[in-house]
């Protein structure tokens, strides 16, 4: 029991029995490559050392009992009748993940689960994918299922799309599953090929939570995705081989801009330029060019703010303040937008002052309290303890 620590004690106190295993699923921060994943583009995320913990014990029936310490709420349901919960929306990521597994004809028994951890919910650090992957991996281990990491990520993506209702890309689930300590990951969202890129030792990644919660299901996220699909439909009337905005070159965009009326043109411009920025940022990181990487982060934020219009004044303020502080290479909003966090690349010897001054400046400008996290690139989902 000692190997389970406080999460195990909390499980025993709530369920009246000892846990069988403890699984850790990290959150993630995307360094650059925003709203490119569902356009078959490139992203550059890293798993972080803040995580969801799933403490579990198998049951002999088809019931799942789950208690969330952060929500201070319990839910229970049968695997035989999996439906969306109106009263416990947080539980839909669990229910959806299990329904995805059952739809694959995977044999899954019930379990008692306690969900805890230190990953902020709604801060743009992919708490939803962390929860779904953590639960999916737990049930994989409890039921001795043979699943590749890529398969687990795709099951979680399917759950969020079909069950929860967010038409998300694959990035979050992929990095939460397959992240590598000390590294970011350049992921090709078309064929899921990837390579790990070491984060230079002289730099730190600082995430700053704006304190503005976002709800991607209720936000304009799905509208942005549909705009991209509509743009592809229009462009294919002249470019029949175009499969996704990933295939559109800047020259083609300029030549066929007349097809993209209203907001479509700036939406497409963001995606095309962001894909290019992400590839160049990965090369800059591999060569230790932190200044070049930072400039691309700044350009990414401007594009998300002006062309894709998913930033908000609080995030813009944080980026402006960060870029003016000594030791900051670059800063941008991260995540789907409409709230959440910024990510900044900062010289390691400037981090302490950077955090203090960023929080103070934000308080003075907005009256809001910001929270900063210095994030270390972490491993993907892992088994931490077993009875």
């Amino acid at each position: 029991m000692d190997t389970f620590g406080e999460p195990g004690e909390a499980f025993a106190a709530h369920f009246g029995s000892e846990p069988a295993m403890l699984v850790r699923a990290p959150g993630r921060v995307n360094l650059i490559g925003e709203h490119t994943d569902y356009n078959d583009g490139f992203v550059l995320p890293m798993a972080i050392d803040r995580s969801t913990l799933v403490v579990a014990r198998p049951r002999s029936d088809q019931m799942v009992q789950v208690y969330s310490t952060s929500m201070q709420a319990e839910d229970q349901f049968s695997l035989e009748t999996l439906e969306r919960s109106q009263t416990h929306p947080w539980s839909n990521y669990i229910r959806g993940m299990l329904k995805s597994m059952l739809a694959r004809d995977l044999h899954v028994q019930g379990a008692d689960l306690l969900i805890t951890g230190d990953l902020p919910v709604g801060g743009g650090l992919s708490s939803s994918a962390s929860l779904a992957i953590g639960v999916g991996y737990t049930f994989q281990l409890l039921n001795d299922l043979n699943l590749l990491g890529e398969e687990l990520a795709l099951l979680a993506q399917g759950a969020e799309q079909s069950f929860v209702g967010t038409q998300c890309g694959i990035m979050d689930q992929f990095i939460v599953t397959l992240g590598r300590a000390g590294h970011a990951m350049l992921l090709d969202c078309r064929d899921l090929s990837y390579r790990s890129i070491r984060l230079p030792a002289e730099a730190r990644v600082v995430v700053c939570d704006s304190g503005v919660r976002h709800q991607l299901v209720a936000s304009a996220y799905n509208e942005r995705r549909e705009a991209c699909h509509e743009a592809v439909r229009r462009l294919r009337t002249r470019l029949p081989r175009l499969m996704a905005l990933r295939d559109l070159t800047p020259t083609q965009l300029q030549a066929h801009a007349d097809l993209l009326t209203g907001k479509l043109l700036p939406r497409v411009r963001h995606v095309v330029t962001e894909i290019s920025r992400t590839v160049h940022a990965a090369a800059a990181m591999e060569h230790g060019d932190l200044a070049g990487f930072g400039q691309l982060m700044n350009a990414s934020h401007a594009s998300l703010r002006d062309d894709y219009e998913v930033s908000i004044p609080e995030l813009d303020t944080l980026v402006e303040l960060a870029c003016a502080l000594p030791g900051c290479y670059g800063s941008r909003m991260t995540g789907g937008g409409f709230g959440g966090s910024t990510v900044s690349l900062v010289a390691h010897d400037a981090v302490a002052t950077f955090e203090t001054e960023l929080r103070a400046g934000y308080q003075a400008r907005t009256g809001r309290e910001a929270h900063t996290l210095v994030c270390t690139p972490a491993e993907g989902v892992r088994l931490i303890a077993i009875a």
Side-chain angles (χ1 to χ4, degrees), residues 297-370:
M297 293 178 76
N298 297 339
S300 172
H301 183 80
S303 181
L304 288 159
R305 179 192 64 213
D306 301 335
D307 280 350
Y308 222 60
E309 295 183 295
V310 293
S311 188
I312 58 173
E314 290 85 353
L315 294 173
D316 297 339
T317 297
L318 282 171
V319 169
E320 180 185 339
L321 291 167
C323 290
L325 292 174
C328 179
Y329 296 107
S331 186
R332 58 182 290 275
M333 60 151 278
T334 186
F338 314 107
S341 301
T342 61
V343 58
S344 303
L345 193 67
V346 182
H348 70 94
D349 56 357
V351 166
T353 301
F354 176 86
E355 287 187 273
T356 300
E357 295 191 7
L358 182 60
R359 291 193 300 262
Y362 186 66
Q363 175 79 40
R365 289 269 293 270
T366 68
R368 288 181 171 273
E369 184 179 357

Side-chain angles (χ1 to χ4, degrees), residues 45 129 133 149-151 153-154 169-179 185 187-188 191-194 380:
I133 292 294
E150 291 86 345
E151 293 177 294
L154 288 167
I170 189 59
M171 173 185 69
D172 293 357
Q173 296 82 4
F174 208 88
I175 187 65
V176 169
T177 306
L178 294 165
M185 173 194 288
L187 171 64
D188 184 334
D191 63 11
L192 301 187
S193 61
Y194 64 97

Side-chain angles (χ1 to χ4, degrees), residues 96 109 117 127 132 157 303 322:
Q109 288 287 111
S127 57
Q157 181 196 23
S303 181

Side-chain angles (χ1 to χ4, degrees), residues 5 10 15 30 37 52 65 92 121 125 129 148 154 157-158 167 175 193 216 223 270 284 302 323 328 350 356 365:
F15 290 105
N30 190 26
D37 54 351
T52 300
Q65 290 192 105
N92 287 327
V121 175
L125 300 176
L148 296 175
L154 288 167
Q157 181 196 23
Q167 296 306 306
I175 187 65
S193 61
L216 291 184
E223 294 175 16
H270 164 72
C323 290
C328 179
T356 300
R365 289 269 293 270

Side-chain angles (χ1 to χ4, degrees), residues 215-335:
Q215 289 290 332
L216 291 184
V217 175
S219 74
Y221 180 95
N222 290 345
E223 294 175 16
R224 296 301 189 281
R225 182 170 180 141
E226 177 54 34
C228 293
H229 291 166
E230 173 62 21
V232 170
R233 284 192 288 269
R234 294 189 185 190
L235 289 163
R236 287 188 71 183
T237 62
R238 296 180 188 170
L239 302 168
R241 294 184 179 181
L242 191 77
M243 300 302 296
L245 291 183
R246 150 77 171 273
D247 304 314
L248 188 66
T249 68
T251 301
Q252 289 172 328
L253 174 58
Q254 184 175 8
H256 304 293
D258 60 298
L259 293 174
L260 305 174
T261 55
K263 293 288 189 181
L264 286 184
L265 179 57
R267 301 291 187 259
V268 173
R269 184 167 57 223
H270 164 72
V271 174
V272 171
T273 57
E274 185 78 349
I275 289 172
S276 175
R277 279 188 291 269
T278 303
V279 173
H280 285 94
M285 180 172 284
E286 284 181 313
H287 291 94
D289 180 9
L290 297 175
F293 192 98
Q295 290 173 1
L296 291 163
M297 293 178 76
N298 297 339
S300 172
H301 183 80
S303 181
L304 288 159
R305 179 192 64 213
D306 301 335
D307 280 350
Y308 222 60
E309 295 183 295
V310 293
S311 188
I312 58 173
E314 290 85 353
L315 294 173
D316 297 339
T317 297
L318 282 171
V319 169
E320 180 185 339
L321 291 167
C323 290
L325 292 174
C328 179
Y329 296 107
S331 186
R332 58 182 290 275
M333 60 151 278
T334 186

Side-chain angles (χ1 to χ4, degrees), residues 34-46:
E34 217 65 76
H35 291 279
T36 56
D37 54 351
Y38 53 81
N39 289 292
D40 284 0
F42 292 89
V43 290
L44 190 66
M46 72 179 205

